[in-house]
Amino acid sequence: MCDQGEQITYAAAGVDVEAGDKAVELMKADVRRATRPEVLGGLGGFAGMFDASALARMDRPVLATSTDGVGTKVAIAQALDKHDTIGFDLVGMVVDDIVVCGAEPLFMTDYIATGKVVPERIAAIVGGIARACEQAGVALVGGETAEHPGLLDPDEYDVAGAATGVVEYADVLGPQRVRPGDVVLGIASSGLHSNGYSLVRRVVAHAGWELDRHVDEFGRTLGEELLEPTRVYSRDLLDLIRTDGVDVHALSHVTGGGLAANLARVLPSDVFARVDRATWTPPPVFTTVQRLGNVPQADVERTLNMGVGFVAMLPADQIDLAVRTLADRGLAAWAMGEVTALEDARVEDGVEVVRGAKGVDGGSVQVVGDHPA
């Protein structure tokens, strides 16, 4: 019971509506740049609107949608009090799942839950989201910031997002296009991206390393390395798909589950992909985490991307053109394996074969060999 004279307000309960309004004002300029001609209305509406009349000119438009967050990487941003890059992680995790099927991401919405709205912090988060959307050619058509006092500490927050894209039915990429003789093309990651941070944070804490520790192998501090933004691939991969002379059969976004599992998801059940570690050297952050935590090889490869952010499957005679096309967009790529019929597969004894993943009855993948010293 409270005194009859005491007034309990929303602000007294921990929710500051005026702070939320200020955050919206601070983010407006960034959000305005993350747009497309099809966007109707502006910031502040109850719903984002997108003119879909162009879809009527498609033969059989297929909508693709995806939703995700960035996991415990937000804990690194919060510890460093640096919030303007986490948006790239969110956008990358969402729109790059859409491009896997060949779809062009069109628009995105975001959601931020926080213990206390600090307008400058929220604006920094959304500013990063907007800049990443602008880079990807995706419109940021709406979002929500929710203040959850008592559920989250004042400096804690979490972010999530959802996006929608479209592709002609005849152009959908996936297992139905993959053929024996295809080459597995690896595309470099920008670092850890947004997966496996529960393992990484546990290893770092166990080793007693502080985020401000300078690491010679990284050429910067541990915190700076761990906060490296996720590469946003969608526009680059759409450019590759649309390149004359390149027939991309399937794409795989290497996120949770690692390279083998995510590759298996986009292969038909009657093929086998053999990937050779000798074709690339993981960046130092991966070997450092493995060494510091004495993490088993199988576990680290199931958890982290090991320097491979995306994988493409395409005919062998198109690999050189694909590598050059991606290089022109600042992406390193290399042939890392081959696809064969399952019945003809050269399976190495004593090495795990991953068959399908995440409920998908996919193909079989074996990762063999050792990374260059």
Side-chain angles (χ1 to χ4, degrees), residues 249-264:
H249 290 166
L251 292 169
S252 178
H253 191 190
V254 183
T255 57
L259 172 61
N262 283 290
L263 176 54

Side-chain angles (χ1 to χ4, degrees), residues 117-192:
V117 169
V118 178
E120 294 76 11
R121 183 166 63 209
I122 298 299
I125 297 169
V126 176
I129 295 171
R131 288 191 299 276
C133 283
E134 183 181 10
Q135 179 180 309
V138 176
L140 184 60
V141 297
E144 175 71 12
T145 299
E147 205 165 24
H148 291 167
L151 183 62
L152 296 169
D153 289 339
D155 290 333
E156 289 182 334
Y157 63 83
D158 197 11
V159 295
T164 298
V166 66
V167 60
E168 280 277 14
Y169 178 79
D171 297 332
V172 172
L173 304 182
Q176 75 281 1
R177 291 176 176 262
V178 177
R179 300 288 184 269
D182 282 355
V183 169
V184 181
L185 184 74
I187 305 172
S189 69
S190 58
L192 294 169

Side-chain angles (χ1 to χ4, degrees), residues 137-336:
V138 176
L140 184 60
V141 297
E144 175 71 12
T145 299
E147 205 165 24
H148 291 167
L151 183 62
L152 296 169
D153 289 339
D155 290 333
E156 289 182 334
Y157 63 83
D158 197 11
V159 295
T164 298
V166 66
V167 60
E168 280 277 14
Y169 178 79
D171 297 332
V172 172
L173 304 182
Q176 75 281 1
R177 291 176 176 262
V178 177
R179 300 288 184 269
D182 282 355
V183 169
V184 181
L185 184 74
I187 305 172
S189 69
S190 58
L192 294 169
H193 286 182
S194 296
N195 300 105
Y197 272 78
S198 294
L199 171 66
V200 172
R201 290 167 52 243
R202 176 69 178 271
V203 166
V204 168
H206 178 75
W209 283 25
E210 300 294 336
L211 293 177
D212 61 359
R213 179 190 181 110
H214 182 84
V215 183
D216 290 342
E217 293 90 340
F218 304 161
R220 53 182 171 177
T221 67
L222 173 64
E224 289 169 335
E225 180 68 31
L226 297 188
L227 207 56
E228 176 67 31
T230 299
R231 172 78 190 223
V232 180
Y233 295 89
S234 57
R235 187 170 262 178
D236 305 315
L237 292 174
L238 288 171
D239 182 68
L240 178 67
I241 292 167
R242 295 164 180 168
T243 297
D244 289 339
V246 174
D247 180 20
V248 177
H249 290 166
L251 292 169
S252 178
H253 191 190
V254 183
T255 57
L259 172 61
N262 283 290
L263 176 54
R265 294 168 69 186
V266 298
L267 298 177
S269 59
D270 60 349
V271 307
F272 176 90
R274 189 174 191 270
V275 174
D276 191 350
R277 296 185 186 93
T279 60
W280 86 98
T281 300
V285 65
F286 298 98
T287 51
T288 299
V289 168
Q290 187 174 5
R291 174 176 52 83
L292 279 182
N294 195 26
V295 184
Q297 181 80 18
D299 197 71
V300 75
E301 290 185 340
R302 279 194 299 264
T303 307
L304 306 179
N305 68 59
M306 301 304 290
V308 185
F310 246 91
V311 173
M313 268 68 67
L314 62 164
D317 61 356
Q318 300 174 11
I319 289 296
D320 289 344
L321 177 56
V323 169
R324 292 197 302 272
T325 301
L326 292 169
D328 288 343
R329 301 190 68 90
L331 279 170
W334 65 97
M336 64 188 315

Side-chain angles (χ1 to χ4, degrees), residues 347-369:
V347 181
E348 190 165 317
D349 292 339
V351 179
E352 180 186 18
V353 175
V354 175
R355 293 183 174 87
K358 297 192 176 181
V360 176
D361 183 20
S364 301
V365 177
Q366 188 177 54
V367 183
V368 301

